[in-house]
Amino acid sequence: MADDWNNAIYRIKYLDVLAEYEKILRQEMKQTLAGLADEKIKLVIERNRKTNLLNDLVGEYIISASPIGSETVARKRQLGIGPATIRSEMSHLEEMGYLRRSYASAGAIPSDKGYRFYVESIPERPELPQDFKSVSYTHLTLPTNRE
């Protein structure tokens, strides 16, 4: 009977140890998952920031037809980041092949890859409602220069 009693106590202690170990594992798993979620959120934010910056740079280059610097982007576009962060992101975009610069402190020019990304990120034109499709615009005329 003493052996049964010792076995029962051993099993209870073993179950307590297992429960504590499971508790520790669950806590570590939660922390790991939270850390992974934080990392994923950071990556998404960083990707969105790069996407917005690249689109703004290409758009500004199309308008101005001259290399775009970080100060210009910071001044004209309200991205919520400063020129130093913009320079850093521009450097990453250059390494990734989306921008070109003749030297480190020069303004950026979109590469073919940067233009392609810009064009592909333009949303498709929405389908016109049926009532607009049936309207005839042939009665509209452009003014002419007649003297």
Side-chain angles (χ1 to χ4, degrees), residues 21-146:
Y21 184 66
E22 182 181 14
K23 185 178 171 183
I24 291 169
L25 283 177
R26 283 178 189 253
Q27 186 176 7
E28 287 177 358
M29 190 183 307
K30 282 181 184 178
Q31 290 172 346
T32 301
L33 290 174
L36 289 174
D38 288 346
E39 286 300 312
K40 187 164 184 159
I41 289 169
K42 286 178 187 174
L43 286 173
V44 167
I45 289 170
E46 184 177 322
R47 187 177 308 132
N48 286 341
R49 184 168 61 193
K50 279 183 175 50
T51 299
N52 292 339
L53 178 60
L54 180 60
N55 284 333
D56 286 347
L57 282 165
V58 175
E60 193 63 38
Y61 181 75
I62 289 170
I63 291 168
S64 70
S66 62
I68 307 300
S70 58
E71 294 286 336
T72 303
V73 175
R75 190 178 62 249
K76 290 189 175 185
R77 310 288 180 157
Q78 301 301 319
L79 297 175
I81 53 178
T85 305
I86 292 172
R87 278 190 295 277
S88 174
E89 294 294 344
M90 286 172 68
S91 176
H92 290 149
L93 289 168
E94 185 180 12
E95 289 170 8
M96 295 164 62
Y98 291 102
L99 298 176
R100 289 181 289 144
R101 292 193 266 189
S102 54
Y103 52 93
S105 62
I109 297 173
S111 66
D112 291 343
K113 187 177 179 181
Y115 277 121
R116 173 61 42 209
F117 183 87
Y118 180 79
V119 168
E120 289 175 357
S121 68
I122 296 172
E124 292 184 28
R125 275 192 311 192
E127 189 67 28
L128 285 175
Q130 192 60 36
D131 21 325
F132 281 100
K133 289 181 181 178
S134 62
V135 174
S136 171
Y137 295 99
T138 56
H139 65 281
L140 298 176
T141 58
L142 295 174
T144 57
N145 249 350
R146 294 187 186 171

